[in-house]
Amino acid sequence: MKFFVDTGDFKEIEELSATGLLDGVTTNPSLIAKAGRDFKELIGEICRIVPGPVSAEVASTEYEGMIAEGEVLAKIAENVVVKLPLTMDGLKATKYFSTRDIKTNVTLCFSANQALLAAKVGATYVSPFIGRLDDINLDGMDLIEDIRTIFDNYAFSTEILAASIRSPNHVTQAALAGADVATMPPAVIRKLAEHPLTKSGLEAFVKDWKSTGQSIL
Ligand code: E4P
């Protein structure tokens, strides 16, 4: 499973990229607003330090505007993925970019039929939002499972990018369901490494090692 970080915080991206765990980055207009940075400049900087795919979302909701904005975003760097909403205009724009070998991420996917449409227009990634479905008392993970089955039935190459991930448990469940990618907030990525037995075990090892009075170096 590939790991993307879902943030517009450059410092976080830099730190996580240095761990070797990061395969890519996703952003959205809300995250860009939170970052308070110039959008295109920030995407350019991220693309320079992360060699993997970096999703940059169009702001327009109309086909023509999506094409114009997507063209600008795609020119920022080779690893930019144009992120488009799952609407009829967004799907049409996805087809436009996929026929021109520009990578796309179709976002705000909440149903298996929507994912099927994204795959049919040749999306590189489709982003089912797990957490937002959970928020309205549905099971986001059922959606990942359904999409996996459908994509395997027809050998679609569109990758399932599990998004709106809120907890380490979401990551485990998405991996079990066969999501190709999980995009997570930085805090969730860090939490994946944590376990209380690792913490207490290490504390004991450090204490016992100190008692030997030895040094490895
Ligand atoms: C995905 O690409 C989105 O940016 C993101 O995962 C949305 O997450 P949220 O529902 O926590 O805002």
Side-chain angles (χ1 to χ4, degrees):
M1 179 188 246
K2 282 175 270 190
F3 277 13
F4 291 178
V5 67
D6 193 34
T7 187
D9 185 327
F10 186 76
K11 201 166 164 286
E12 290 275 29
I13 295 168
E14 214 173 19
E15 276 176 23
L16 286 165
S17 177
T19 65
L21 286 168
L22 219 54
D23 299 298
V25 178
T26 52
T27 62
N28 65 39
S30 306
L31 293 170
I32 296 299
K34 197 173 165 197
R37 295 269 319 269
D38 178 84
F39 180 35
K40 289 182 279 179
E41 190 184 284
L42 176 61
I43 294 296
E45 281 179 28
I46 297 171
C47 287
R48 277 193 285 281
I49 62 159
V50 177
V54 175
S55 287
E57 189 161 342
V58 297
S60 177
T61 55
E62 313 295 332
Y63 173 74
E64 300 294 346
M66 289 178 188
I67 300 302
E69 291 174 0
E71 298 270 22
V72 169
L73 295 173
K75 282 192 186 108
I76 295 176
E78 268 187 14
N79 48 334
V80 165
V81 175
V82 179
K83 201 174 179 189
L84 300 141
L86 212 156
T87 59
M88 288 307 278
D89 281 38
L91 291 167
K92 192 174 161 195
T94 302
K95 182 73 184 177
Y96 172 93
F97 288 116
S98 63
T99 54
R100 284 160 180 79
D101 281 335
I102 291 173
K103 290 193 168 62
T104 52
N105 175 1
V106 180
T107 190
L108 292 166
C109 172
F110 293 96
S111 79
N113 282 339
Q114 287 183 315
L116 182 54
L117 296 181
K120 283 185 67 66
V121 291
T124 315
Y125 304 98
V126 65
S127 292
F129 276 36
I130 298 170
R132 294 193 194 188
L133 283 170
D134 289 358
D135 288 346
I136 58 162
N137 214 18
L138 293 171
D139 190 343
M141 221 48 73
D142 286 348
L143 176 58
I144 302 286
E145 284 168 17
D146 289 350
I147 300 173
R148 181 75 280 153
T149 303
I150 291 167
F151 283 12
D152 290 350
N153 282 349
Y154 298 99
F156 282 124
S157 58
T158 299
E159 294 190 39
I160 303 171
L161 198 172
S164 187
I165 281 182
R166 307 271 171 79
S167 66
N169 195 39
H170 272 159
V171 181
T172 310
Q173 296 303 318
L176 287 169
D180 299 287
V181 190
T183 191
M184 301 160 254
V188 172
I189 297 184
R190 292 199 173 89
K191 273 188 199 153
L192 297 177
E194 291 171 13
H195 195 284
L197 291 179
T198 305
K199 190 170 181 280
S200 58
L202 187 59
E203 279 164 6
F205 287 159
V206 167
K207 187 169 167 271
D208 292 343
W209 175 251
K210 268 189 191 150
S211 76
T212 70
Q214 298 182 52
S215 161
I216 295 172
L217 299 176

